[in-house]
């Protein structure tokens, strides 16, 4: 078949897109080979994403960054709660809270960078980070096309495991999601191509090494926590190369864990399964690619009580970021409702953070205080005028610590 020639403008765009695609392919091959070399050299523990053992017992620097929209509001209250629950450690100097300024959309746009250099340097000085939600520019905002700050930080610190628990004990629900955090559609989300007046193309990446490590993290968690089932979620019947590869590699990893049952589901039916009361309590550990994990964990959080009720951990081998799973809610700010934002998602992320750095006792105390606050104020946290405020919720939590 003869290759058709188009207008000079379209031919130019096609040539540019092909050249850029080759660059991206080479970058991703290099990244996969680097991950393989690290694993084979045992420079990185490929089985688990966690802080190195030598951190535990030493001074832990906890960074806090409010972000955009309702982020600074809920972070202010979260910092107050942390000051109470960590009072003894802060007094002794074994823990330090380090507020990080400048992590706002305005500063990012002014610097022309997803994360300004000064902010990034401050984050690197911390052992872990508690982060508020951020706003990502979109076409409707008529601003510079900078990358999502969340995606950028996950790649910069190689936080490959996004871990999101959802629990409703009275309904037998105890789910934990292991979402691959550095690949999929998000890896090259700001580097898609556009053929003038014709079409747009974005890219999805699934590397062998990236899939192996998220799969192993899920199975290691299951084995360490008495879980008996891991569910793999893809759309491998349609996305045959990327999702097909993800599914096959997860199944290979599963062979190393014969005591754990493995099943697989397509993302659309899994979304339905989570609202099917007859079977949803059967699910335990769920491992899935980036985009599907982003969407379905919001659904799971809504089942739990709303996206404002679930925390999230982004874990690598040498760093971890903990955050609320919801966005910056600019509409709440525009409507003057910021004070009614629910801080429980960020505080649940703080529980995960405390546990991660080895502060098990403080994590349990905060978790119990949150449960008490949810029972007393949960139904009044409506996000609307007349409901309970962010400050009221935080003060109730602190009164239970």
């Amino acid at each position: 078949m003869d290759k058709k020639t188009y207008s000079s403008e379209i031919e130019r765009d096609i040539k540019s897109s092909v050249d850029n695609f080759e660059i991206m392919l080479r970058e991703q091959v290099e990244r996969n080979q680097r991950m393989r070399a690290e694993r084979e050299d045992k420079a990185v523990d490929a089985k688990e994403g966690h802080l190195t053992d030598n951190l535990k017992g030493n001074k832990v620097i906890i960074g806090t960054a409010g972000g955009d929209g309702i982020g600074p509001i809920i972070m202010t209250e979260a910092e107050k709660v942390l000051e109470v629950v960590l009072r003894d450690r802060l007094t002794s100097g074994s823990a330090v809270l380090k507020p990080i300024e400048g992590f706002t959309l305005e500063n990012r746009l002014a610097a022309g960078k997803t994360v300004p250099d000064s902010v990034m340097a401050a984050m690197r000085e911390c052992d872990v980070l508690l982060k508020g939600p951020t706003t990502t520019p979109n076409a409707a905002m008529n601003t510079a096309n900078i990358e999502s700050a969340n995606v950028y930080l996950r790649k910069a610190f190689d936080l490959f495991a996004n871990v999101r628990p959802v629990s409703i004990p009275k309904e037998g629900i105890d789910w934990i999601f292991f979402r691959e955090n550095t690949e999929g559609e998000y890896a090259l989300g700001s580097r898609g191509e556009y053929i003038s007046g014709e079409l747009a193309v974005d890219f999805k990446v699934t590397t062998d090494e990236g899939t192996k490590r998220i799969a192993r993290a899920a199975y290691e968690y299951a084995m360490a926590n008495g879980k008996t089932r891991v569910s793999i979620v893809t759309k491998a019947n349609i996305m045959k190369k990327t999702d097909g590869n993800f599914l096959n590699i997860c199944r290979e990893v599963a062979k190393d864990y014969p005591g754990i049952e493995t099943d697989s589901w397509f993302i659309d039916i899994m979304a339905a399964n989570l609202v099917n009361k007859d079977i949803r309590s059967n699910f335990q550990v769920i491992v899935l690619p980036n985009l599907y994990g982003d969407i379905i964990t919001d659904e799971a959080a809504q089942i739990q009580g709303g996206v404002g009720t679930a925390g999230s951990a982004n874990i690598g081998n040498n760093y971890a970021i903990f955050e609320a799973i919801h966005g910056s809610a600019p509409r709440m700010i525009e409507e003057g409702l910021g004070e009614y934002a629910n801080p429980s998602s960020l505080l649940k992320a703080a529980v995960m953070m405390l546990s991660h750095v080895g502060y098990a006792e403080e994590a349990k105390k905060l978790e119990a205080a949150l449960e008490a606050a949810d029972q007393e104020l949960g139904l009044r946290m409506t996000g609307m005028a007349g409901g309970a405020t962010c400050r009221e919720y935080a003060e109730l939590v602190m009164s239970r610590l």
Side-chain angles (χ1 to χ4, degrees), residues 70 93 96 187 224 231 254-255 287 324:
I70 63 172
V96 175
S231 300
K255 293 177 182 178
V287 60

Side-chain angles (χ1 to χ4, degrees), residues 105-264:
L105 178 60
E106 292 76 15
N107 284 347
R108 288 182 275 134
L109 289 173
K113 291 190 172 184
T114 304
V115 180
D117 292 343
S118 60
V119 175
M120 197 67 187
M123 289 178 175
R124 291 190 184 280
E125 292 173 356
C126 303
D127 297 304
V128 292
L129 179 69
L130 184 66
K131 186 186 75 63
T134 56
T135 298
T136 301
N138 57 56
M141 295 173 66
N142 195 29
T143 61
N145 180 29
I146 60 174
E147 186 178 16
S148 159
N150 290 338
V151 173
Y152 177 87
L153 289 172
R154 291 164 189 168
K155 290 191 293 186
F157 289 108
D158 199 21
L159 308 177
F160 64 87
N162 180 231
V163 183
R164 297 184 175 185
V166 169
S167 177
I168 312 175
K170 65 181 180 180
E171 297 186 21
I173 291 175
D174 186 17
W175 302 325
I176 188 158
F177 296 84
F178 279 76
R179 164 192 170 193
E180 202 296 315
N181 214 22
T182 59
E183 300 187 352
E185 293 84 352
Y186 292 49
L188 302 170
S190 61
R191 296 173 65 181
E193 295 295 333
Y194 181 66
I195 307 300
S196 301
E198 300 292 338
L199 58 93
V201 178
D202 280 316
F203 304 102
K204 178 172 181 173
V205 176
T206 300
T207 67
D208 287 17
E209 291 296 322
T211 303
K212 286 176 184 176
R213 65 183 185 177
I214 190 62
R216 198 164 295 281
Y219 280 95
E220 285 289 316
Y221 175 89
M223 188 170 67
N225 290 274
K227 304 299 182 181
T228 59
R229 182 177 186 178
V230 172
S231 300
I232 308 164
V233 178
T234 66
K235 192 63 177 172
N237 58 330
I238 302 299
M239 307 298 291
K240 297 183 185 296
K241 296 297 184 184
T242 50
D243 284 17
N245 199 42
F246 188 96
L247 176 59
N248 290 337
I249 290 174
C250 285
R251 284 174 170 166
E252 283 299 310
V253 170
K255 293 177 182 178
D256 293 336
Y257 303 86
I260 298 174
E261 177 187 353
T262 297
D263 56 16
S264 62

